[in-house]
Amino acid sequence: MALLLCLALTAALARGCLHCHGNFSEKFSFYRHHVNLKSWWVGDIPVSGSLLTDWSQDTMKELHLAIPAEITREKLNQVANVVYQRMDQLYKGKMYFPGYFPNELRAIFREQVHLIQNAIIESRIDCQRHCGIFQYETISCTNCTNSHVVCFGYNCESSAEWETAVQGLLQHINNWSNLLSPSFRCLEPPHLANLTLENASECLMQH
């Protein structure tokens, strides 16, 4: 099974991903301002309003990712389209029975969290299809700035490709830190000929 090494620091999760989408402010402003027309029971209004107001913050609390929350623009658009379509459909209804509207909001929220989790993880797994250092453009969910993820794929088809990949990894590490850690001595050129996938993985994880 191909292994994946992600060369990035885990970012502190503070905000949601969907708020980085261009239509988020307009869409959720509409949802919040029309929430009082969606339920026969007055108690549903503050509950639903709170769900919408805290949407981004609660999203980050529920992601539970061990990797930085960085999503590609394409996948962010896909998640946003699903969420907006479901929300717009919900708002097309008139008055709902007590409890129905906030429950539907929670269901959409949970689906959104799962979509974001899958989108971020799938992009990392795609790195397995590459051999050596690979980089793809993303958006940081913490501050909506353009970012990128650098990872190392082990899907090499020959020993020559594997040696080139490891040398590329060493070069990337040297460029990043300007100092080769003693933990990576096992990846220096004299050791590459007899280097196995298991030994390389162990060496990298010790850093």
Side-chain angles (χ1 to χ4, degrees), residues 31-175:
Y31 300 147
R32 286 191 298 269
H33 283 94
H34 291 79
V35 71
N36 60 324
L37 303 175
K38 296 291 102 185
S39 178
W40 289 104
W41 185 42
V42 67
D44 282 352
I45 297 174
V47 173
S48 300
S50 178
L51 288 170
L52 293 169
T53 299
D54 298 335
W55 193 278
S56 293
Q57 182 177 352
D58 290 345
T59 296
M60 299 309 290
K61 291 179 181 178
E62 294 298 322
L63 283 181
H64 303 302
L65 291 172
I67 57 178
E70 297 176 333
I71 188 170
T72 65
R73 189 171 298 276
E74 178 184 4
K75 291 186 181 295
L76 176 60
N77 288 337
Q78 293 172 357
V79 172
N81 288 337
V82 171
V83 173
Y84 298 153
Q85 286 176 8
R86 287 205 57 187
M87 293 287 279
D88 290 346
Q89 185 64 37
L90 180 63
Y91 272 77
K92 285 181 180 179
K94 297 182 180 180
M95 286 284 191
Y96 293 105
F97 290 108
Y100 180 86
F101 188 75
N103 285 340
E104 285 299 299
L105 285 180
R106 292 188 186 98
I108 296 173
F109 173 82
R110 288 192 296 269
E111 180 182 6
Q112 174 231 212
V113 170
H114 293 152
L115 289 173
I116 293 174
Q117 288 173 329
N118 291 339
I120 293 173
I121 294 172
E122 284 172 2
S123 294
R124 296 303 185 95
I125 293 176
D126 283 344
C127 180
Q128 296 177 2
R129 301 174 183 174
H130 300 272
C131 175
I133 292 291
F134 180 71
Q135 174 177 308
Y136 59 93
E137 302 301 317
T138 57
I139 299 172
S140 172
C141 293
T142 59
N143 53 23
C144 298
T145 58
N146 292 329
S147 58
H148 65 270
V149 172
V150 179
C151 50
F152 186 82
Y154 287 85
N155 190 26
C156 302
E157 297 181 354
S158 67
S159 58
E161 285 188 359
W162 171 243
E163 183 171 339
T164 300
V166 174
Q167 289 175 343
L169 174 61
L170 281 175
Q171 184 62 50
H172 177 80
I173 294 172
N174 284 328
N175 291 341

